[in-house]
Amino acid sequence: MLEKIQRIIKAVLKQEYARAGIYYVVANIIGQGVVLFSSAIFTRMMTKADYGLVSTYSTWVLVLNTFICLNLFISVRTAYIDFKEEYDRYNSSVLLLSLLCGIFMTVLIVCAVRLSGLGFGIWEILLACVQSVALNIVNYMLAIQSMKNEYRQRAFMMIVPNWTHILLSVILMLIFTGNLYMAKIAGNAMGLLFFGVICTVILFFRAAPKAVRKYWKYALKISIPSIFNTLSDLILMQCDRLMLTSMAGAEETAEYSVVYNVSSIIVAIYQAINGAWLPWFFRNMEDNKTEKIKKYQEYYMLIFTVFSCGMMTISPELIKIMSPENYWKGIRYAAPIVMASYLIFLYAFFSACLLYKKKTVRIAINTIIAAVLNLVLNYVMIPRYQSTGAVGATVLSYVTLFILHLSAVKSERQQCFSMRGMWKNTIGIAIFSLLFYFVQDTLVIRYMIFMALFLIVYFIKGKTIIQEFSGDS
């Protein structure tokens, strides 16, 4: 048995993108692990109101990040196919454009806020802009490392920046105890800025930055439509917290954010694996290996379904570890929020296909529709149901986005998706979510149901997957 396990591990590690995927998952677990651990620290160091404000500030950083540098890192993926022989020159040139846009937008936003007389602190706005530009540069480097399959370097960038800015925030909060909110956000901004500068130096060292019209035109054509997609996606993921803060109070947002942090592990793991899946998918699409894509997609979905059910199973214990008792009411939101995170994973298959076809406008239109629906539903449901309303709005919006992307892929007549497997997995996790809802307070039954699911999957499909990777007939 031990020899068989060793053979499977060796066979998996021989496959370049499987090896990269393992690196990314481990890196994400370590990187996101410190984020979860820090939640346990910050929820105890700060008041619920301050923690809610930090969560709201983080949302604004993500919103700014979508347009402050024109989302130019999105073009790095398709450029790897179209400008492969001049890829470093392309990256350097487009990063220059990204930095110029970031500096211009920062000055514009700070001046606009100052002149408008709005009730935002200038230092908060400046920190948010600096952090957004730095985050954009880090994402730019991560996208390049993904396409070049520099998995060791990418794993490093997935871990160390998180640890750095969290550690810096804790240090500043211990020093400036009178203003924990500003100390926390200053630590975030300064930590990410450090790595943004390092990434810029590395990319400019590989190729001197030059304004190349051909590159800039290509990048803008790909990236500008994706701004609306990314912004709408952020509205889907973040507007519930902004609207909860505004309509129900920061304390309600803090309670909701803790359970959202647990489900965000699912999105983080998907994003980690996607760093290996996306370049692999692009190459196999280029070679027209659709049957191979469908087969491995089935394996990927099944494994991720079991993982998502596992995260749902342990979510009550994670929430209790991460936060004091006055946050635990959020446990009741775990099942629907995990389900929403799973839908993000599913429709990402369709997004990858549309991105490969350079159909970023269609992606943007679909996401805008879902985002507008989310805003309307939150506006109607939060005043009446508060956090419960925000959860319902999120799930309904992601179901809508899944259907819209499915329709878009069908119109492209792509045959690289295992739709039968997708529906089976979706029904499976929906049934598990329903069971979890009834047994969420009973630890033993919860874990017994998950173990039964695990054994069923293993005996029906797990052995086939193991044989595929071990080389058994």
Side-chain angles (χ1 to χ4, degrees):
M1 182 65 180
L2 182 60
E3 290 181 1
K4 187 172 183 178
I5 293 172
Q6 291 175 335
R7 191 165 68 250
I8 293 169
I9 293 171
K10 288 179 181 178
V12 170
L13 291 177
K14 283 180 181 179
Q15 300 186 45
E16 185 182 14
Y17 289 103
R19 185 166 63 247
I22 292 170
Y23 264 83
Y24 298 157
V25 169
V26 173
N28 223 300
I29 289 171
I30 297 171
Q32 292 300 315
V34 73
V35 174
L36 290 176
F37 177 71
S38 71
S39 295
I41 297 173
F42 293 133
T43 53
R44 289 167 172 84
M45 290 182 70
M46 308 172 76
T47 64
K48 284 180 76 174
D50 274 350
Y51 188 77
L53 289 173
V54 169
S55 177
T56 304
Y57 165 86
S58 299
T59 300
W60 280 116
V61 168
L62 292 174
V63 171
L64 284 172
N65 181 57
T66 62
F67 65 85
I68 200 167
C69 294
L70 299 185
N71 227 23
L72 287 163
F73 73 91
I74 295 292
S75 69
V76 163
R77 298 187 177 105
T78 53
Y80 185 78
I81 302 295
D82 296 332
F83 296 106
K84 191 167 186 178
E85 299 304 319
E86 42 194 313
Y87 194 51
D88 286 340
R89 292 196 298 273
Y90 174 90
N91 293 331
S92 177
S93 177
V94 175
L95 179 59
L96 175 62
L97 175 61
S98 184
L99 287 171
L100 292 174
C101 291
I103 293 169
F104 173 77
M105 291 297 294
T106 297
V107 173
L108 185 65
I109 291 168
V110 170
C111 291
V113 171
R114 187 68 180 267
L115 294 172
S116 66
L118 295 173
F120 294 103
I122 291 300
W123 281 109
E124 291 175 82
I125 297 298
L126 184 59
L127 284 173
C129 289
V130 168
Q131 186 173 337
S132 298
V133 173
L135 180 59
N136 196 279
I137 297 169
V138 170
N139 286 337
Y140 196 93
M141 176 62 90
L142 286 170
I144 293 168
Q145 290 169 338
S146 173
M147 297 311 297
K148 297 176 78 169
N149 206 32
E150 298 174 342
Y151 52 86
R152 291 187 180 87
Q153 297 92 320
R154 192 172 192 269
F156 175 87
M157 288 298 297
M158 292 168 69
I159 296 172
V160 181
N162 276 350
W163 284 73
T164 302
H165 77 72
I166 287 171
L167 180 61
L168 188 55
S169 290
V170 171
I171 293 171
L172 291 178
M173 289 170 70
L174 291 173
I175 296 172
F176 301 102
T177 55
N179 196 340
L180 296 176
Y181 164 63
M182 285 299 294
K184 173 71 172 72
I185 66 175
N188 288 352
M190 292 167 61
L192 280 171
L193 178 61
F194 174 75
F195 284 94
V197 171
I198 290 176
C199 291
T200 301
V201 171
I202 291 172
L203 292 174
F204 283 174
F205 180 78
R206 290 178 182 175
K210 295 179 181 179
V212 181
R213 183 181 177 184
K214 176 178 67 172
Y215 299 156
W216 287 15
K217 184 179 178 181
Y218 175 92
L220 291 169
K221 184 179 178 181
I222 297 292
S223 297
I224 287 179
S226 73
I227 293 174
F228 300 100
N229 168 47
T230 307
L231 187 58
S232 300
D233 210 25
L234 276 174
I235 290 172
L236 278 169
M237 297 181 73
Q238 306 290 341
C239 79
D240 44 7
R241 278 173 272 192
L242 292 175
M243 294 179 76
L244 272 173
T245 301
S246 174
M247 303 169 79
E251 291 192 8
E252 190 78 11
T253 308
E255 187 178 277
Y256 180 77
S257 295
V258 170
V259 68
Y260 218 108
N261 286 342
V262 174
S263 69
S264 68
I265 298 172
I266 296 172
V267 178
I269 295 297
Y270 134 69
Q271 289 173 339
I273 299 173
N274 206 46
W277 171 268
L278 199 62
W280 180 88
F281 175 79
F282 274 31
R283 283 174 174 79
N284 281 277
M285 284 290 285
E286 194 77 7
D287 297 334
N288 200 31
K289 296 180 179 178
T290 55
E291 290 304 314
K292 183 179 180 181
I293 292 172
K294 288 168 68 174
K295 181 175 74 171
Y296 282 95
Q297 185 197 57
E298 284 192 8
Y299 297 162
Y300 186 9
M301 285 190 296
L302 187 62
I303 293 169
F304 206 86
T305 299
V306 174
F307 168 73
S308 298
C309 290
M311 286 303 304
M312 195 184 302
T313 302
I314 67 173
S315 60
E317 285 68 50
L318 282 176
I319 292 169
K320 290 176 182 178
I321 292 170
M322 288 167 52
S323 59
E325 190 172 352
N326 57 337
Y327 286 79
W328 294 357
K329 191 171 69 173
I331 291 173
R332 68 183 187 271
Y333 305 134
I337 290 180
V338 168
M339 189 68 194
S341 301
Y342 184 78
L343 288 173
I344 295 173
F345 158 72
L346 284 185
Y347 75 64
F349 289 115
F350 305 141
S351 296
C353 174
L354 294 170
L355 180 60
Y356 175 79
K357 302 291 289 184
K358 300 184 179 68
K359 300 291 183 180
T360 51
V361 173
R362 182 62 186 270
I363 298 174
I365 291 171
N366 291 346
T367 316
I368 289 169
I369 292 170
V372 171
L373 175 64
N374 189 246
L375 286 169
V376 172
L377 289 174
N378 275 314
Y379 182 78
V380 172
M381 297 172 73
I382 286 176
R384 186 170 181 178
Y385 303 109
Q386 297 190 326
S387 296
T388 304
V391 171
T394 298
V395 174
L396 289 172
S397 300
Y398 278 122
V399 169
T400 301
L401 186 54
F402 175 82
I403 294 170
L404 289 171
H405 276 355
L406 174 60
S407 176
V409 170
K410 281 188 174 181
S411 68
E412 289 294 323
R413 298 185 179 180
Q414 296 296 324
Q415 302 298 320
C416 56
F417 301 105
S418 176
M419 294 307 305
R420 185 179 178 185
M422 191 172 287
W423 289 121
K424 282 182 179 179
N425 281 278
T426 303
I427 293 170
I429 196 170
I431 293 172
F432 189 89
S433 299
L434 185 63
L435 292 172
F436 173 86
Y437 179 79
F438 289 107
V439 300
Q440 59 187 331
D441 297 324
T442 311
L443 184 146
V444 175
I445 297 177
R446 255 193 291 126
Y447 283 86
M448 286 177 64
I449 292 173
F450 175 72
M451 285 306 301
L453 168 70
F454 182 85
L455 291 173
I456 290 169
V457 170
Y458 173 76
F459 285 111
I460 292 177
K461 199 73 177 180
K463 287 185 175 181
T464 303
I465 297 174
I466 291 172
Q467 288 173 357
E468 172 78 26
F469 285 105
S470 66
D472 292 350
S473 57

